[in-house]
Amino acid sequence: TSLWTTAHTLTCLCGCCWALRPRYKRLVDNIFPEDPEDGLVKANMEKLTFFALSAPEKLDRIAAYLSERLTRELNRHRYGYVCIAMEAMEQLLLACHCQSINLLVESFLSTLRLLLEADKPHLHILATSSFVKFANIEEDTPSYHRSYDFFVSRFSEMCHSEHEDLDIQNKIRVSGIRGLQGVVRKTVDDELQVNIWEPRHMEQIVPALLVNLQQHTHTSRPGAHESPAEQTEVCFRELLSRAAYGHITNAIRPVLMHLDSHSLWEGRSFAVQCFQIIMYSIQSQHSHLVIQQLLGHLDANSKSPASVRAGIVEVLSEAAVIEATGSVGPTVLEVFNTLLRQLRQSVDYQLTGYYDNTGKRETTSAEEKTLQDGVIKTIGSFANTLPIYQRSEVMLFIMGKIPVPGIYPALGSPNSGLEGSRMIQVMLLKSLLQVSERYESCNLLTALPSSFLEPLLSFTLMEDPEIRLLVLSILTSLIDRLAFCVHSVMFDVSVLELKEDRCSRQDNLFIRKNAQRLYRHVYLTCKEESSGRGHYQALVTLLAVLSVELANEEVVVDLIRLVLALQELALSPHECLSVFNRCGVHAVCAAFLNLLSQLGPPPPFHLHITQVIEHRQGNAPHLLPKDVFCDEPRLPQGELMVDETFLFVQSKICEALTGSSYSAHTERFNTPYTPQLTDEDRLSKRKSIGDVISLQIDMDPQYCPDTQQTEQITFETLKNAIEDRGGVEEEERRRRMQVVERFQTAPFEEIAAHCGARTSLLQSKLDQVFDLIIRPPPSPSGHSPPRSTPLYGIKFPDLCVY
């Protein structure tokens, strides 16, 4: 009892007598001046630092006593001494070795908590500054028991400061942003620390940063040292740059939630700016994860207003442009599938007027049109980031989604119907055009395979002029590798600086395989009365591209035959073409032949073309592109009359090509060009040429077996047939028109009866043929043997083996 009493007495005496206190306490007390405005006593601080380094086991006691002094001064509102105590703790942290720092950290962090909990902004700023200095210290010794949850919450709260003084508000927000940046630096590379990428932390950090990034125009003032927005962008970029593969989702999801909750998609400018920072900051190999997050968010907002969907789509488009790896992840087609699905939904909303199934939330055609244009632009942006072979797959994929009449008639939703199918056709073709505009391939067999070309060309048979124009533009962009356009008859080929290279083997194979198909669709487009200025200009460009990219003697001759056939088409009185259409076709012929005459044919050919064009310029300017392909075409009044001097003459062209490399193919001029018939005609909604000819064969008496007469064919017969060819052709054309008129005006019962009679007649003829086939040969005695059962009438057993 006496020993305990003695020890207690000595302790009390030490507390009262300054000289008997422990040395570390005396050293700590000595760093505080009598007047706090004098600042830290540097000489005494050096002694304290030397003592701490000499006796590191006393660091925890020094830190505890410093924290005690700071708490006492804080409670007495002596903030000058509080700042001196914090400065001393900072210097001790920086001076101590890494293995000893853990002895100081707990007291240091507890002191920072006290300052951050105080109701003084300048103390918050002081604590944050000290924490940032601590965060920059690299530690070799791990710590298993630290927690930064309080600091994440407090710094995030400071980022939302609404102090009445704008300057103080800016300082508090900047301090909060720096504090968050320090927490990230301290924890992101240490697996034993708190996982800063957990959703509960990201949902505090990311919104705090975005609020300051969004309000930069309100929080920054002229003359301010730092803007919260500038510091926020630095912190946000650093946070994203440190994100690993598994952390991207947790970092992006709060961004999407923040933009949703504050309706920031509709403004679009901030959302685009935000994701530009994200795409430029994250590691390039992780960028496709951001794309997938945006696509999923777009699907999740399929029932949102069009402005929200358009904002997400625009962000997608910008993200695709920034995306640097040339790929949008392992599911490339899924990206385009999502975008095409959004197009189809937008068509339904546009036609019904509502963007939900309940019919309560209205939308407008203008809003949905803006969304559709954005989706089409985004499809092109994504496709431009892909390699060539993947672009081909994307074009085939989009082509497979286009509703084709007669094949996919039900692709339009029940709400949209046929009009919806038409709108989807137009938009998907526009998407194809976006992909094809930057498609560069040296092999047309790869760029235009049959699986893509055939369905594409089938749309030139559609009645919709917009669809036909889109198809022509797509064809031109895929074939064209020079990116030139021809709108004037006086176009100078020399400006293209063409190289005289022979057509490659693959291109020769392509044109041999598909030439007639392309010519046919050019011809049929010119026959359309609904074709306008854009169609004719597109036709000139397409023909020019074919002559430049795939030029050889055979192709040039066939193109001239096609143009001569178009000229005859424009002159034909049996075609239902307006004066503008006829002038447009004549202008197409003039523009193309003028271009073709500069690409290599002999001078006589160029001379003939030039003479015809000069005649037209003087007396018939309405047959040239300058007067036709303009906003206000100058057309003749009444019926169009074309003098022979204004026409390109086949005989003169053939004579001009004689003796040149084209002479081997000039005999082809003796056969006028006629479009070949294919199964694509049945895909059109109107009656096609194939229907007319089949009706003609069916109705013409000369094709009936009962009326056919065998006539001996001699040289004179063939000669007379050739001489009378003009009359025969005129008679055939007249008879064809009668057949068409009959099937358009005759009652259904009459047509059905005729078809039934023809079926019976065909069956009787087949019976006669079968009877002749199975009739046995006559016997020498003159008696024919009894007739046996016909082979086709014999019933064989089921298990009979032949």
Side-chain angles (χ1 to χ4, degrees):
T1 302
S2 61
L3 291 175
W4 181 86
T5 304
T6 303
H8 180 70
T9 302
L10 290 173
T11 303
C12 294
L13 290 174
C14 292
C16 297
C17 183
W18 185 85
L20 297 178
R21 302 185 71 185
R23 184 182 179 188
Y24 73 89
K25 286 188 177 181
R26 285 184 279 126
L27 292 174
V28 170
D29 291 337
N30 289 335
I31 67 174
F32 293 93
E34 292 183 3
D35 186 359
E37 293 183 359
D38 294 338
L40 183 67
V41 180
K42 295 182 179 180
N44 293 335
M45 186 64 211
E46 292 177 359
K47 294 178 182 179
L48 176 62
T49 303
F50 180 78
F51 175 79
L53 294 175
S54 303
E57 68 276 3
K58 299 295 181 76
L59 275 174
D60 55 343
R61 299 181 186 181
I62 295 173
Y65 185 64
L66 267 173
S67 179
E68 180 184 342
R69 282 292 305 262
L70 185 145
T71 304
R72 185 165 63 243
E73 303 297 346
L74 181 63
N75 293 333
R76 295 175 180 177
H77 305 288
R78 301 168 66 176
Y79 300 118
Y81 289 117
V82 170
C83 295
I84 291 173
M86 282 305 307
E87 185 180 354
M89 294 190 77
E90 292 172 6
Q91 291 192 21
L92 286 176
L93 280 173
L94 296 174
C96 291
H97 296 290
C98 295
Q99 61 268 23
S100 305
I101 197 173
N102 284 332
L103 299 174
L104 286 169
V105 169
E106 287 304 319
S107 298
F108 175 75
L109 294 180
S110 63
T111 303
L112 293 181
R113 291 189 187 97
L114 287 175
L115 296 179
L116 291 172
E117 289 173 350
D119 191 18
K120 296 295 180 179
H122 68 280
L123 295 181
H124 301 167
I125 297 172
L126 175 64
T128 305
S129 177
S130 297
F131 183 85
V132 171
K133 294 177 182 178
F134 161 70
N136 291 330
I137 299 175
E138 296 183 2
E139 300 183 55
D140 293 338
T141 305
S143 176
Y144 301 93
H145 54 279
R146 291 183 199 165
S147 175
Y148 296 96
D149 292 358
F150 170 80
F151 294 99
V152 171
S153 301
R154 193 68 186 94
F155 291 147
S156 299
E157 184 180 347
M158 291 172 63
C159 292
H160 295 277
S161 173
E162 295 292 341
H163 198 278
E164 57 186 10
D165 189 334
L166 196 57
D167 289 334
I168 296 177
Q169 175 185 315
N170 283 350
K171 291 179 181 179
I172 295 174
R173 289 194 174 196
V174 169
S175 296
I177 295 166
R178 285 180 172 175
L180 290 177
Q181 190 175 10
V183 173
V184 172
R185 289 179 181 177
K186 200 65 179 176
T187 60
V188 73
D189 295 327
D190 192 349
E191 296 179 357
L192 299 176
Q193 300 287 357
V194 61
N195 187 2
I196 200 68
W197 301 107
E198 291 181 358
R200 61 191 180 95
H201 295 308
M202 285 290 103
E203 289 173 4
Q204 293 180 0
I205 295 174
V206 172
L209 297 177
L210 293 180
V211 164
N212 289 278
L213 192 64
Q214 174 192 354
Q215 297 179 351
H216 65 282
T217 56
H218 304 287
T219 57
S220 58
R221 293 178 58 186
H225 294 290
E226 285 183 313
S227 166
E230 295 175 0
Q231 188 65 34
T232 298
E233 185 172 343
V234 173
C235 180
F236 197 30
R237 289 183 184 276
E238 183 175 351
L239 174 68
L240 295 169
S241 65
R242 295 173 179 267
Y245 182 85
H247 304 148
I248 294 294
T249 301
N250 291 339
I252 299 302
R253 188 180 292 114
V255 177
L256 301 175
M257 294 172 59
H258 181 82
L259 295 175
D260 285 341
S261 59
H262 292 80
S263 301
L264 296 175
W265 294 111
E266 300 181 13
R268 288 181 286 180
S269 58
F270 174 72
V272 170
Q273 176 193 0
C274 183
F275 275 90
Q276 283 176 342
I277 294 175
I278 292 173
M279 295 299 292
Y280 280 121
S281 301
I282 63 175
Q283 301 177 39
S284 59
Q285 65 268 26
H286 301 158
S287 56
H288 69 275
L289 295 175
V290 181
I291 301 295
Q292 290 178 356
Q293 287 283 309
L294 285 169
L295 288 170
H297 199 66
L298 180 61
D299 274 340
N301 283 272
S302 59
K303 302 295 183 182
S304 299
S307 56
V308 174
R309 287 175 278 137
I312 301 175
V313 168
E314 181 170 348
V315 172
L316 267 170
S317 178
E318 295 295 331
V321 173
I322 299 171
E323 203 275 337
T325 60
S327 175
V328 288
T331 55
V332 174
L333 296 182
E334 184 59 29
V335 173
F336 295 93
N337 194 35
T338 300
L339 294 173
L340 296 181
R341 185 166 58 248
Q342 290 296 322
L343 272 181
R344 185 154 301 170
Q345 289 178 351
S346 178
V347 170
D348 294 343
Y349 297 157
Q350 181 177 354
L351 294 176
T352 59
Y354 300 94
Y355 61 86
D356 62 348
N357 297 328
T358 61
K360 297 180 180 179
R361 301 177 179 178
E362 296 184 357
T363 186
T364 62
S365 296
E367 292 177 343
E368 297 297 335
K369 186 68 168 58
T370 301
L371 169 65
Q372 293 159 13
D373 293 340
V375 172
I376 293 172
K377 175 186 175 184
T378 305
I379 289 175
S381 299
F382 272 115
N384 291 333
T385 65
L386 300 176
I388 294 297
Y389 73 94
Q390 283 189 329
R391 294 191 205 181
S392 300
E393 294 177 358
V394 169
M395 288 193 294
L396 285 172
F397 179 76
I398 296 176
M399 179 59 69
K401 295 289 184 179
I402 302 178
V404 180
I407 298 180
Y408 305 117
L411 280 184
S413 69
N415 296 331
S416 58
L418 293 177
E419 177 62 18
S421 296
R422 190 201 70 82
M423 293 174 63
I424 292 173
Q425 287 173 348
V426 171
M427 286 183 287
L428 294 186
L429 286 172
K430 287 182 178 179
S431 303
L432 268 180
L433 182 59
Q434 285 282 330
V435 179
S436 64
E437 280 181 344
R438 297 188 181 180
Y439 184 88
E440 297 178 0
S441 175
C442 56
N443 187 351
L444 290 180
L445 283 176
T446 304
L448 288 168
S450 298
S451 57
F452 177 80
L453 184 61
E454 291 180 4
L456 179 64
L457 290 179
S458 67
F459 288 101
T460 58
L461 301 173
M462 298 295 293
E463 293 179 343
D464 194 306
E466 185 177 6
I467 292 178
R468 299 199 308 273
L469 181 57
L470 286 171
V471 172
L472 291 173
S473 301
I474 293 170
L475 280 173
T476 303
S477 61
L478 289 175
I479 298 174
D480 184 14
R481 285 168 287 202
L482 295 174
F484 72 96
C485 191
V486 180
H487 294 329
S488 173
V489 71
M490 302 307 295
F491 186 82
D492 188 2
V493 177
S494 61
V495 300
L496 298 178
E497 298 181 358
L498 299 176
K499 299 180 180 179
E500 296 183 2
D501 294 335
R502 300 294 297 177
C503 193
S504 66
R505 178 177 177 274
Q506 291 82 2
D507 289 350
N508 278 326
L509 291 175
F510 170 80
I511 196 61
R512 288 178 183 176
K513 182 179 180 181
N514 301 297
Q516 296 303 319
R517 187 178 298 161
L518 293 171
Y519 302 157
R520 172 179 180 271
H521 286 82
V522 171
Y523 186 88
L524 293 179
T525 301
C526 288
K527 289 192 64 173
E528 291 291 341
E529 189 176 2
S530 59
S531 294
R533 167 187 173 184
H535 296 81
Y536 296 126
Q537 290 179 337
L539 285 173
V540 173
T541 306
L542 177 60
L543 291 172
V545 168
L546 288 174
S547 61
V548 171
E549 296 286 353
L550 306 171
N552 57 52
E553 287 78 2
E554 184 178 357
V555 171
V556 169
V557 170
D558 283 342
L559 287 172
I560 295 174
R561 291 176 58 232
L562 172 62
V563 169
L564 293 175
L566 293 179
Q567 182 175 258
E568 292 297 324
L569 175 68
L571 296 172
S572 175
H574 303 285
E575 298 295 340
C576 299
L577 296 176
S578 64
V579 174
F580 171 77
N581 295 129
R582 297 181 188 276
C583 291
V585 175
H586 282 295
V588 168
C589 298
F592 172 67
L593 287 177
N594 175 72
L595 174 70
L596 189 63
S597 65
Q598 304 176 53
L599 294 177
F605 178 80
H606 179 71
L607 178 61
H608 172 63
I609 302 302
T610 304
Q611 289 175 348
V612 174
I613 291 175
E614 289 177 353
H615 284 301
R616 292 187 180 187
Q617 288 175 341
N619 302 296
H622 53 272
L623 301 181
L624 295 175
K626 183 178 180 180
D627 282 21
V628 180
F629 302 157
C630 58
D631 295 333
E632 296 181 0
R634 291 183 287 273
L635 303 177
Q637 299 293 331
E639 187 177 355
L640 178 65
M641 303 298 295
V642 181
D643 191 79
E644 292 184 359
T645 58
F646 304 148
L647 299 178
F648 302 101
V649 183
Q650 173 185 329
S651 59
K652 293 184 178 180
I653 293 176
C654 184
E655 181 181 353
L657 297 178
T658 303
S660 64
S661 58
Y662 300 90
S663 58
H665 305 281
T666 52
E667 71 276 1
R668 300 171 65 88
F669 285 113
N670 297 327
T671 306
Y673 171 80
T674 54
Q676 295 181 354
L677 302 177
T678 67
D679 293 336
E680 295 169 358
D681 291 311
R682 65 183 177 84
L683 301 181
S684 63
K685 296 180 181 179
R686 49 177 166 67
K687 199 175 297 297
S688 63
I689 298 177
D691 299 327
V692 174
I693 294 183
S694 63
L695 294 177
Q696 175 189 353
I697 295 176
D698 188 43
M699 294 294 296
D700 198 336
Q702 69 173 344
Y703 291 97
C704 298
D706 293 341
T707 60
Q708 287 183 352
Q709 297 180 359
T710 304
E711 180 180 357
Q712 185 178 3
I713 299 176
T714 62
F715 174 77
E716 293 296 331
T717 304
L718 294 176
K719 181 178 179 181
N720 294 333
I722 294 175
E723 292 177 352
D724 298 338
R725 182 176 181 84
V728 172
E729 289 182 353
E730 182 65 27
E731 181 65 22
E732 289 179 355
R733 188 181 295 108
R734 183 186 59 79
R735 189 163 51 249
R736 188 183 302 116
M737 297 300 296
Q738 290 178 354
V739 171
V740 174
E741 182 180 1
R742 176 178 179 181
F743 267 74
Q744 290 177 344
T745 59
F748 174 76
E749 292 78 7
E750 180 181 344
I751 297 175
H754 173 75
C755 294
R758 292 290 294 115
T759 304
S760 301
L761 179 62
L762 177 61
Q763 185 63 43
S764 64
K765 294 302 178 183
L766 288 175
D767 291 340
Q768 294 178 12
V769 171
F770 285 136
D771 185 61
L772 292 173
I773 292 175
I774 64 174
R775 180 179 300 171
S779 62
S781 60
H783 299 283
S784 60
R787 296 184 60 182
S788 61
T789 305
L791 292 177
Y792 61 85
I794 299 177
K795 293 183 179 180
F796 294 95
D798 293 340
L799 300 179
C800 179
V801 179
Y802 300 96

